[in-house]
Amino acid sequence: MNKPGFQPSLKGRALRLLSQREHSRTELERKLAPHEEVPGELAKALDELQARDFINDGRAIESVVHRRAGKWGAARVKQELTAKGLTGEAVAQALAGLKDTELRRAQEVWRKKFGSPAPDPQTRAKHMRFLLTRGFSAEVVRQVVSGAGEDDFG
C-alpha cells in the first residue's frame, strides 16, 4: 500500500479510479479537484491520460448503458450520463438505441419483480410506480402493466 506521508500523484489517482471502471473526464475532474495542489496540474494530467486514450467518453457511455440498461429505462440512464458530465451526439445515439428496446426491457424488469398481473387497482398502481421510478416512459409502463397477463412477452 501507500507509505506513511506518501500522496499519489493526480495521474496515479486518476489511473486508480479508471482501473475500477470507466470514468468521464468531467467525473475525474470533480473527484480529483480537491487533491490538486498547483493550478492547471489536474488539467495537464487528464489531458495526458486522454491523449493516451485512458479517458474515453465513448467508452464511459457504453459502460453506463451496459451496466444499467437491464434494470433502468432510458430516462434514468440519461440522468446518470448527465450526472457524469456526458452529453452530445454519442449520448443521443445510445439513448435512441435504448428507446428501441424500452418495451422489452420494461417487460423483463416487471416480470422479474412481480411475475403476475396486478389483482387490484392499488397493486397495479404499485407496479406502475415501480417501473416509472426505474426510468421507463409512462406509455411503456401502461403497456407493460395493462398487458401483463398476455402471452405476447416472448
Side-chain angles (χ1 to χ4, degrees):
M1 265 333 255
N2 293 342
K3 297 175 185 166
F6 174 76
Q7 290 296 317
S9 68
L10 287 172
K11 194 186 304 183
R13 290 175 189 267
L15 286 169
R16 187 173 54 234
L17 290 169
L18 289 166
S19 72
Q20 296 166 358
R21 68 168 173 81
E22 294 289 344
H23 285 70
S24 69
R25 182 181 175 112
T26 305
E27 203 176 5
L28 289 171
E29 287 170 351
R30 187 173 43 242
K31 288 181 176 184
L32 297 174
H35 304 287
E36 183 177 35
E37 295 173 4
V38 179
E41 179 185 28
L42 178 57
K44 181 181 176 196
L46 295 180
D47 286 344
E48 188 176 323
L49 291 172
Q50 200 162 9
R52 297 173 69 192
D53 204 34
F54 285 107
I55 301 171
N56 182 311
D57 285 353
R59 281 197 317 261
I61 292 167
E62 289 174 21
S63 174
V64 169
V65 169
H66 178 73
R67 283 194 332 267
R68 303 299 191 202
K71 296 180 181 177
W72 289 357
R76 186 89 181 263
V77 172
K78 180 181 181 183
Q79 182 181 11
E80 182 167 336
L81 291 170
T82 302
K84 293 180 181 301
L86 296 163
T87 57
E89 183 60 31
V91 169
Q93 286 177 351
L95 292 174
L98 284 179
K99 287 180 181 170
D100 291 344
T101 62
E102 184 109 335
L103 179 61
R104 180 185 51 75
R105 291 182 298 109
Q107 288 169 332
E108 188 58 32
V109 168
W110 175 87
R111 188 178 330 170
K112 283 181 182 176
K113 176 72 174 179
F114 300 109
S116 61
D120 55 63
Q122 292 84 5
T123 307
R124 181 183 160 122
K126 178 183 174 184
H127 289 201
M128 293 179 89
R129 280 191 308 274
F130 172 79
L131 290 171
L132 288 169
T133 61
R134 294 298 185 276
F136 294 104
S137 71
E139 179 56 35
V140 165
V141 169
R142 275 192 296 279
Q143 288 178 21
V144 170
V145 175
S146 68
E150 299 174 14
D151 291 329
D152 63 352
F153 283 3

